[in-house]
Amino acid sequence: MGTSAYIDINQNQFKAFSKLEPQEPVVMLNFLRFKKVVFESEISGEEAYQRYMKAAMPFFKEANAEVLFYGEPKHMLIGPLDTELWDKVLLIKYNTLNGFLMMVQAKGYPSHLRKQALIDSRLIHCKP
């Protein structure tokens, strides 16, 4: 694992992202690395992330989002073999950029649960 960990949204990138076409569909690629144990609850980071996903599901539905894939990467077929694979990969499609923006800024959105579960992550906007 590298020396820098990323959990929070980069505000400059988020501002630029939010200025894109609001009705355009977006796909978000998530690379996730879990904490061994979440200090606040003594459960594993993966268990804590499952709690986040359960709490976030109504927000995904409201945003008309679809989980395309959630799973564990297994083999590095192209890339450096000395690089540790991520714990999980998550791919979510949102029908509109606006739906994603409204979701992550909605009152009650459980981003704190995501943050508790992770030691490192990447969130990458992909255009379908």
Side-chain angles (χ1 to χ4, degrees):
M1 181 164 57
T3 57
S4 296
Y6 300 90
I7 306 296
D8 296 313
I9 288 178
N10 176 304
Q11 290 303 312
N12 289 332
Q13 289 291 331
F14 187 75
K15 285 178 189 173
F17 170 73
S18 65
K19 292 178 183 174
L20 297 174
E21 171 57 44
Q23 296 307 312
E24 188 171 290
V26 295
V27 174
M28 300 304 272
L29 173 61
N30 296 256
F31 292 114
L32 308 167
R33 187 162 290 127
F34 302 119
K35 292 177 181 175
K36 296 282 185 222
V37 175
V38 176
F39 176 74
E40 299 86 351
S41 64
E42 299 299 321
I43 63 172
S44 74
E46 187 167 1
E47 288 175 280
Y49 197 81
Q50 291 301 324
R51 290 181 181 181
Y52 157 73
M53 288 295 288
K54 185 176 181 181
M57 207 50 72
F59 294 90
F60 290 144
K61 287 181 182 176
E62 181 70 26
N64 206 11
E66 176 186 2
V67 175
L68 300 176
F69 177 81
Y70 180 66
E72 182 180 347
K74 298 304 283 179
H75 300 98
M76 180 75 74
L77 299 177
I78 298 176
L81 296 178
D82 61 346
T83 300
E84 185 179 337
L85 294 174
W86 294 89
D87 294 331
K88 296 285 184 179
V89 176
L90 173 64
L91 196 59
I92 302 178
K93 180 182 179 201
Y94 299 85
N95 282 347
T96 65
L97 170 94
N98 210 33
F100 172 81
L101 294 173
M102 289 175 58
M103 182 191 79
V104 297
Q105 296 175 22
K107 183 178 179 167
Y109 180 73
S111 59
H112 66 288
L113 295 177
R114 181 183 185 280
K115 192 173 188 173
Q116 279 181 347
L118 298 174
I119 194 166
D120 196 9
S121 68
R122 302 295 183 273
L123 178 61
I124 302 166
H125 164 231
C126 304
K127 184 175 178 176

